[in-house]
Amino acid sequence: MMMKYIYLFIFSFFSFPVIAQTIKGSIRSKSAVPMHGITIRLEKTNYATQTIENGNFVLRNVLPGTYTLVASGVGYTAIKQDILVVSGKNLFLNLELDPSSEQLEEIVVASRKKRHRDQASAYAARLPLKNIENPQVINTVTNQLITEQGATDLNGIIKNIPGVVKGWSSVSAYYTSRGFNTRNYIRNGVSGYVTADMDIANVEQLEAIKGPSGTLFGSSLVSFGGVLNRITKKPLDTTKIEIGYQVGSYDLSRFTLDINTPLKKDKTVLFRMNAARNYEGSFQDAGFIRSTFIAPSLFYQVGDRLSFSLDIEIYEREGTSQSQIMPAGPGTNRLGANNPSALPLDYKRSYSNNTVTLKNPAQSFYGQINYKLSDHWSSQTNLIHTRAENTGNYLTFTLLKGDSALVRNVSQYPTSLSTITQVQQNFNGDFKIAGLRNRLVIGVEFYQNASAFSSNALNGRGGRKSFDTLNVKGPMPDYALISPASINNKLTGLAPTYSHSQLNTYSAYASNVLNISDRLSAMLSLRADRFMNEGTTNVTTNATTGNYNQTAFSPKFGLVYQLIMDRVSLFGNYTNGFLNVAPVAQPDGAVSTFKPQFANQVEGGVKAELTGDLLSVTISYYNIKVKNTLRTDVERPAYTVQEGNQYSKGVEIDVFSRPITGLLLNAGFAYNDSRLTSADATVTGLRPVNSGPAKTGNFYASYTLPFSAVKGLGLGFGGNFYSRNYIVNNTTAGQFYLNSCTLLNAAVFYSKARYRLGLNADNLTNKQFYNGGFGTITPGGLRRFVASLTVKF
């Protein structure tokens, strides 16, 4: 410190006459949201100020010299940066406070991390809106949870979200939320559609925006149950390298790489790349996933007002189909069983082999342009293009009457290509009218989903035969005979279907948060969509089906009253969602056209956000009513029909806390009551299939020892509870359901500045359980151990 003052004296002496300078700057969050009320000061001086609403600050009349600038705020990690003030030259700084700031070289002060839910709220609202101010429920899985639990896929993250449960197991899984199916098709608030779930190496955190969210997200990629939005890792202004390796049960071998570096000395150009190479087998006699993932990201701060970012995600994936078994079919409950434990299936048999695979490559490009129009207005332009393929053989099973005949069905896709194009323009304003603050987003959007595919099948439908039938109660001499060659041989003479389709959506929306007082705010939102579906065209016959044009409007209204400023709030909302249902190709080859579905949600509750992560709680009640529901046909479970209405109501509790140093608590509970109304007499008053369990619970706690001798050593324990989940539920066929179950997991880890060791155990008690949806069931994973090593440079 003495040398600093000597240098300051010498510099000041030889710089005479001295001209005082101005230091200007901008403080933003990791998601580029301006941060208001952050204190800026120069250490050991009287120079100090705070950022205004747009995140900017000014320090005037600063004498030349070297200083240590400190940026700090309640609930955020303080940062320090050495600066040099030169006579005759003003200084401009761009600073960022984010959860990863503790890794930066210039940081010497550690405090509680910023609230993760505030970052998620900004994505959900497309506005600089804190979670405490947001009238909608948002559940967030932090990076700490992802790391501690040793997650290797999306399902390993989603289990931490109250009420969200894995359902139908495909290459891109369906999940249920608030009684409705949803998928992970949103990335950083815009389209993230791919055929298979993306690798999680580039995921910083995952958020669930609960309930119908058509106002800002439309209907093409979301559901009435909510939005699953993966928030990705962003370039930082420091150099770091992290190399990770995970090895575990069932031949798990996973390599990850995270490289971050500024490309210019002034840190206006930042680069980051996340990559993964993954292989994992199965607890069954066959089954695997092999993938390679690369995600480079570039950020360029052109000037005070303009910045660009470009993200690319390249994913190569090949794997076997997960075992999807249809346990019931037309007519009465012909199996004589009402749950999987009563079926004559061998839990560890795949009834296939590793030659029957699907390939699911995808390439995604995300461009963003941010421009500050004025102190009160900014512009954001998003450009997205995704190319996703799905080629190979897809295998499913049907268990026939007599509970011994297992039919193997094959759907073959010689070619299947989907391209997504999205152009989105947002204008954000933060201004006052008559003394009242308004935060406004106005946006327009173009979305296109175009596909071209060919398909062939051995599935027992439309006069076609299945591949074969196995006697699961006796010898199965043909068990290993299924292969690409044998499938192609049986497809000889069966012509594939070639078709293409395209959906264009033109949208406009606006959402405004009006601060009626310091404590009371109102959100008013409206979206208009024009859908132009060109339908599906059979290339062979040149016949087009399912083409339609529709217009839909989606309003939203919300109120928030802060009982304790920035700490406790009451919230409520009315939210509308809609779903323009694309024509559905039925198993017999016919294409069914359906009316749009509409959902209206009333939701209310309380949120508490104490300093930092001391305590974050959301308790909510919701009631969703849906018109023109889609459901599984009672007589033909593989078919889809549109009939009647549905209500879905329930209670959710979400708790995240770091009450003392080293202790982390994450817990949730969800109760959902869903019923079909005004529908067929066989299902009216019953819980719809594909609604998931009525009750779910999740819990995880970890403690990192603070004692110097073993500092960094931590233990974690958690679990998930799922109540009964109906796969078939009607008065004709009866009921077939997945039994309630509790799954436990545990973790041991040792974390230091330069490395981290971890050992995780999933399904600790080795319990046999099933996931299910759309009339099928899939065995869940047995006990798995995963060892992890991460080295940091």
Side-chain angles (χ1 to χ4, degrees), residues 249-250 283 744 760-769 780-785:
S249 306
Y250 317 119
F283 65 90
L744 303 177
N760 294 86
D762 297 324
N763 193 358
L764 199 58
T765 61
N766 206 35
K767 187 176 184 61
Q768 294 187 3
F769 70 100
L782 293 176
R783 180 168 50 222
R784 185 182 75 155
F785 293 100

Side-chain angles (χ1 to χ4, degrees), residues 15-34:
S15 297
F16 184 83
V18 173
I19 302 175
Q21 300 305 139
T22 298
I23 302 174
K24 295 182 179 181
S26 177
I27 306 291
R28 296 180 181 272
S29 70
K30 185 179 179 182
S31 56
V33 176

Side-chain angles (χ1 to χ4, degrees), residues 187-188 192 194 198-199 202-203 230 232 293-296 311-315 362-366 387:
R187 176 192 184 275
N188 294 334
V194 286
M198 272 289 186
D199 193 284
N202 197 33
V203 175
R230 59 185 188 273
T232 61
F293 175 74
I294 301 175
D311 297 351
I312 300 174
E313 292 185 336
I314 301 174
Y315 191 39
Q363 304 88 39
S364 303
F365 301 86
Y366 303 89
R387 187 178 190 274

